[in-house]
Amino acid sequence: MIARRASVALVLALPAIISVMIVVIWQQHGVNPITGDEPHYLLIADSLLRDGDLRVLNNYQIDTPVRRALPPGQAALDAHTVNGYSIHDPGLPLLLLPAYAMGGVLGAKVWMALLLGLVPFSVYRRAMAILPGTHWPLPLALIIGLGQPFLIGGGQIYPDLLAGLIIFELLGVWAEARSAPAWWVGGLLALLPWLHLKFLPPAALLALLYALRAIRPHPPAPSPTCGRGGAARSAIPAILLAASVAALGMYNLRAFGSILGPYQPGDATGDLGRVAMIAVGLHLDRMQGIFFQAPTFLLGVFGLAIFAAEDRRLALACGAIYLMVLLPSAAHTNWYGGTSFAGRFFWAVALLWCFPLLYAIRHLRQRGLGSLAAAALAVAIMLEGVFAAKVLIPNAYTYTTPPHAAASWMDSNPYADFLDLTPIQRARWLPSFQDPEVAARATANWIFGGMIVCLTLTGICALRRRGQACLALWRVFAITAVGATWQMPPAIRPAVLGVDLELRRGERYVAAGPRGAIQPGAYAVALDYTPGERLGWECALVGKAGGRAVLAAGGLPASEAQRRLHTICVIPRASDRSARFELRLYGPHGGAIDLWRIEIQPLNDR
């Protein structure tokens, strides 16, 4: 028995080992250095280590391991401080302090990867409780641990994945009614609000659930926090959480003059339409969505109804916590999490999908359809492998970029790259939730949303043994989806100057184009300008070394009036994929040309 447990533990440690290897390799090759909020969290740890306090303003002004780890050429960090204190919560830096002291930035990243290496162990325990006596727990724990976002995001200096792991573990212990030390439960609960204030409501709900389970266990079972100490010990988690919240409030009051800390009403948007778009996008956006990054959890969508039917209390608790965490993130004015790995705003709730996933597999196995579950997981793993293979190497979409109206055809993702989709194909086949107007009109968004609804209804049909109704549902969906894709034009908006296009002026020319490379295809280019003299124009691809491959060229007559240029430029599929597209006007005084409007839009490829 001991030997088997040791072998299982070694297998479950594999994701942590691989995650640490990824962190070290990236560090050695300068890939994915600390960006976004990461250096600000680390500077809190630096202040604790160097000065023994939380006043970090001076740490921004001196040479530190954090400053030396910034990407080459990056300007000095803007201080994220109020009254000298960091606007970021100090819980994560406190956890990172020993590792940062021993190994600097790399040590902190490795320590994060090791902490998140506990994910497969937690999933394994939940799987053993839901699928006892089967061969499923170990492979499922490995699939989750080696999948998105845990493997690649494990070394990122953000509290989201760690908070999600704590919430998942505490929910699992509560649901299984296992005896657990009260100080351990209370300590984890007390840590949550120090990681980020948005984790206080889930912590409070979990404390309430543990207290209610101790008072009225259902079904009758030992309290998950009492053990042999009696029911009185069940109050310890709530007491520890209350003490933690009081201490956090006092710190915030001293540092920021408010018990809520640096957070202000303006940190959350009141635009409900945008909140709804981001909330849906965190599930279905081609790059930000959990179901695109981790297709394995689509089986959890099928299992939602099964989960609710078999463990209603746990399902309701998961649903409440899911909304408590996801909605504040969707309302954040820094769309999708700013300069961090894409999808970061769903990291804290990702593990909650393991519950319906496990119940779905149990249901299929009980119906003699275990092979169907295995096949579905195999397909999901292949899709996830495509995603992981692309984001493991430097690319243009690993990090969140500011949302923009032309994202539906300009922005790529691993699947678009793997299939080499044209801009129109991206807009037609891949959902995009970057612009409210486009998101509401995009056929692909409605189709993928309909697929999620159908998967959920399929779970209900499976519960009620209505296979024919399920088949009819999917037939209707397939016909509707194919018809809509074929008949409805893709929802696209042109790339415009100042948002999607940047202007560059030289001594005798003015040029405009996207900041990065765009896919091969035919593009309509519209330009309003006042030339004042005869000019030449050309569309070209500009390589990294400065070489130009002219795609189209022409002349413009002299005029004092505002004029308009409409042309079509075609980027061949055999062109340099790293080259930037550029429209250039040139002449004796080309740099002084007044440009009123520039738009670039892909043409339909049918």
Side-chain angles (χ1 to χ4, degrees):
M1 180 63 72
I2 295 177
R4 186 182 185 282
R5 288 182 178 179
S7 61
V8 168
L10 286 174
V11 173
L12 293 175
L14 183 62
I17 296 171
I18 296 177
S19 185
V20 168
M21 291 173 60
I22 291 172
V23 167
V24 173
I25 292 172
W26 280 350
Q27 177 83 5
Q28 290 175 341
H29 291 82
V31 177
N32 297 326
I34 51 174
T35 55
D37 291 338
E38 289 183 291
H40 305 287
Y41 279 113
L42 289 169
L43 281 174
I44 301 175
D46 188 85
S47 181
L48 288 168
L49 179 65
R50 191 183 304 270
D51 307 322
D53 62 25
L54 291 170
R55 291 182 177 271
V56 299
L57 185 58
N58 64 299
N59 301 88
Y60 283 91
Q61 301 165 351
I62 62 176
D63 182 49
T64 63
V66 179
R67 180 184 290 271
R68 294 192 292 271
L70 291 174
Q74 177 172 318
L77 285 171
D78 292 329
H80 285 197
T81 60
V82 174
N83 302 327
Y85 292 90
S86 176
I87 62 174
H88 301 284
D89 297 278
L92 183 61
L94 283 168
L95 288 177
L96 296 177
L97 184 56
Y100 180 79
M102 291 186 290
V105 172
L106 179 59
K109 283 180 164 284
V110 168
W111 179 234
M112 281 295 297
L114 291 174
L115 286 175
L116 270 301
L118 296 174
V119 164
F121 290 88
S122 185
V123 174
Y124 179 75
R125 284 192 292 269
R126 306 292 83 77
M128 288 293 290
I130 297 172
L131 294 162
T134 71
H135 64 278
W136 283 96
L138 187 58
L140 281 174
L142 281 178
I143 290 170
I144 300 300
L146 291 171
Q148 281 288 103
F150 312 105
L151 183 69
I152 293 173
Q156 296 294 291
I157 310 297
Y158 288 100
D160 305 77
L161 284 176
L162 183 59
L165 173 59
I166 292 172
I167 291 170
F168 178 71
E169 178 67 19
L170 290 176
L171 273 172
V173 172
W174 172 77
E176 296 156 22
R178 292 194 291 109
S179 177
W183 62 266
W184 177 81
V185 173
L188 292 179
L189 288 173
L191 175 61
L192 283 173
W194 285 84
L195 292 175
H196 197 287
L197 194 61
K198 69 181 177 182
F199 299 124
L200 174 56
L205 177 58
L206 283 165
L208 177 62
L209 292 175
Y210 271 84
L212 292 176
R213 175 57 64 92
I215 297 170
R216 294 186 304 171
H218 180 83
S223 164
T225 58
C226 289
R228 297 183 179 180
R233 296 185 61 187
S234 63
I236 292 179
I239 293 172
L240 289 176
L241 176 60
S244 171
V245 172
L248 180 60
M250 288 188 290
Y251 163 71
N252 285 336
L253 191 63
R254 176 183 175 86
F256 309 107
S258 168
I259 60 172
L260 296 179
Y263 303 106
Q264 303 293 329
D267 292 337
T269 180
D271 185 348
L272 296 182
R274 204 207 75 173
V275 173
M277 183 196 74
I278 298 295
V280 177
L282 288 170
H283 298 86
L284 291 177
D285 183 80
R286 68 180 67 166
M287 193 64 207
Q288 299 287 346
I290 186 172
F291 297 133
F292 272 77
Q293 291 201 20
T296 305
F297 291 135
L298 285 172
L299 192 54
V301 176
F302 165 78
L304 283 173
I306 301 166
F307 178 34
E310 297 199 20
D311 197 334
R312 188 175 303 274
R313 292 191 175 198
L314 178 58
L316 289 174
C318 283
I321 290 175
Y322 198 90
L323 295 176
M324 286 178 181
V325 175
L326 193 75
L327 291 181
S329 296
H332 200 289
T333 51
N334 207 356
W335 291 28
Y336 287 119
T339 310
S340 59
F341 276 13
R344 179 173 69 87
F345 272 2
F346 75 66
W347 285 2
V349 296
L351 276 175
L352 296 182
W353 283 103
C354 290
F355 287 116
L357 169 66
L358 293 172
Y359 277 96
I361 292 174
R362 184 169 81 171
H363 179 83
L364 291 173
R365 184 177 173 277
Q366 289 172 344
R367 297 288 177 86
L369 298 173
S371 57
L372 179 61
L377 284 174
V379 173
I381 291 169
M382 286 189 288
L383 291 173
E384 198 163 332
V386 170
F387 192 98
K390 289 291 186 179
V391 297
L392 276 170
I393 59 177
N395 56 64
Y397 44 71
T398 295
Y399 289 91
T400 296
T401 55
H404 56 110
S408 63
W409 63 268
M410 287 188 76
D411 288 2
S412 187
N413 82 325
Y415 303 111
D417 273 7
F418 181 75
L419 297 172
D420 197 20
L421 300 182
T422 66
I424 288 293
Q425 289 170 338
R426 293 178 183 184
R428 177 177 288 123
W429 295 341
L430 296 176
S432 176
F433 293 84
Q434 300 288 320
D435 178 76
E437 180 183 338
V438 174
R441 295 188 294 111
T443 304
N445 294 359
W446 289 99
I447 289 174
F448 276 87
M451 183 187 71
I452 296 300
V453 172
C454 287
L455 272 175
T456 306
L457 294 176
T458 300
I460 297 175
C461 291
L463 270 176
R464 299 180 179 180
R465 298 178 180 269
R466 295 183 178 178
Q468 292 302 316
C470 179
L471 291 175
L473 172 70
W474 281 102
R475 279 196 294 266
V476 171
F477 170 76
I479 293 171
T480 304
V482 171
T485 302
W486 184 256
Q487 295 295 325
M488 300 291 291
I492 59 174
R493 292 177 65 181
V496 297
L497 192 64
V499 179
D500 315 289
L501 309 176
E502 60 181 2
L503 196 64
R504 298 178 291 275
R505 292 185 183 272
E507 183 179 353
R508 295 189 177 184
Y509 72 89
V510 60
R515 294 175 177 84
I518 56 177
Q519 285 292 100
Y523 293 89
V525 179
L527 170 68
D528 290 344
Y529 65 100
T530 303
E533 60 187 0
R534 183 173 179 80
L535 301 172
W537 66 268
E538 66 180 27
C539 293
L541 291 178
V542 182
K544 291 183 176 180
R548 300 176 59 82
V550 177
L551 305 174
L556 300 171
S559 172
E560 296 299 326
Q562 181 177 332
R563 300 186 65 87
R564 175 168 296 177
L565 166 66
H566 284 283
T567 189
I568 295 176
C569 297
V570 179
I571 301 177
R573 298 191 73 84
S575 62
D576 178 5
R577 296 300 178 92
S578 65
R580 291 183 295 106
F581 177 83
E582 180 182 86
L583 171 67
R584 176 176 291 196
L585 302 183
Y586 55 90
H589 303 91
I593 299 171
D594 290 328
L595 299 180
W596 303 95
R597 179 180 67 97
I598 303 175
E599 291 184 352
I600 300 176
Q601 180 170 308
L603 296 175
N604 201 317
D605 52 7
R606 285 182 180 171

